[in-house]
Amino acid sequence: QKEVEQNSGPLSVPEGAIASLNCTYSDRGSQSFFWYRQYSGKSPELIMSIYSNGDKEDGRFTAQLNKASQYVSLLIRDSQPSDSATYLCAVPGTYGSSNTGKLIFGQGTTLQVKP
Amino acid sequence: EAGVAQSPRYKIIEKRQSVAFWCNPISGHATLYWYQQILGQGPKLLIQFQNNGVVDDSQLPKDRFSAERLKGVDSTLKIQPAKLEDSAVYLCASSFIRESTFGSGTRLTVV
């Protein structure tokens, strides 16, 4: 069974700082990685996907993937109070030997951005 | 494009009662998922459909949970009888290729 590990936090950063969220995964064969943001009482929203080693930038968000070390991270630059949420890391799961498209989630890291 | 629709938003029932949730995926999305999210945890897959066929129901407690997706569009998830530990948010998601979009979820409280 694939596993995804995240520090549950909370991670507290001041407004304007860089927030760094980390995730490790157990299956060395994982090829796709997703970061979802979930506001309290709301559903998960996809904010970043990354498929190859290195960095992928989208606005204030940067996803970093290191397959050799089996970790993926999310950096949020110029953090804003509106970024306060739980960030879920996910990798595709399998049924038998087939990649079915389902997602295996970590428990999420709660980020608090203080004004 | 319209998102994934779910109803009801909230439901409170007594243990041993039954409950049903409804989901309408994004138009054209062949794959539909039901996830259970217990407070403080990440979502966990209960069942996955491809069109109207079940792909993966390995984590579905089949003695009390059932789901169907007639005509390959809408889906219903049922719990009968409910237990206290079923209190959670039930999320429906759909996907076209690789990226899943979630509905707003149904928050179930079993008392």
Side-chain angles (χ1 to χ4, degrees), chain A residues 1 31-32 34 36 38 40-46 49 51 56 88 94-95 100-108, chain B residues 9 31 33 35 37 40-45 48 55-59 91 95 98-105 107:
Chain A
Q1 172 74 334
Q31 298 294 319
S32 309
F34 305 94
Y36 282 80
Q38 187 172 31
S40 181
K42 303 295 185 182
S43 61
E45 172 194 13
L46 180 66
S49 57
Y51 305 102
K56 178 183 177 182
L88 297 161
T94 57
Y95 186 58
T100 61
K102 72 178 181 182
L103 294 173
I104 307 296
F105 286 88
Q107 66 178 15
Chain B
R9 286 299 311 277
T31 308
Y33 312 84
Y35 289 86
Q37 186 175 23
Q41 299 180 20
K44 183 185 77 171
L45 182 77
Q48 176 183 349
V55 173
D56 182 356
D57 63 356
S58 58
Q59 299 299 305
L91 295 162
S95 69
R98 283 194 284 196
E99 297 177 357
S100 295
T101 302
F102 285 82
S104 55
R107 183 177 298 275

Side-chain angles (χ1 to χ4, degrees), chain B residues 85-96:
Chain B
E85 59 260 37
D86 297 332
S87 295
V89 176
Y90 291 84
L91 295 162
C92 179
S94 68
S95 69
F96 177 61

Side-chain angles (χ1 to χ4, degrees), chain B residues 44-94:
Chain B
K44 183 185 77 171
L45 182 77
L46 292 174
I47 189 167
Q48 176 183 349
F49 293 93
Q50 180 77 17
N51 296 309
N52 61 347
V54 175
V55 173
D56 182 356
D57 63 356
S58 58
Q59 299 299 305
L60 187 73
K62 299 180 185 65
D63 58 334
R64 297 185 301 106
F65 286 65
S66 64
E68 61 182 7
R69 190 183 184 196
L70 299 177
K71 302 180 182 178
V73 182
D74 293 6
S75 177
T76 55
L77 176 69
K78 297 180 182 178
I79 307 175
Q80 182 178 13
K83 292 185 175 181
L84 296 177
E85 59 260 37
D86 297 332
S87 295
V89 176
Y90 291 84
L91 295 162
C92 179
S94 68

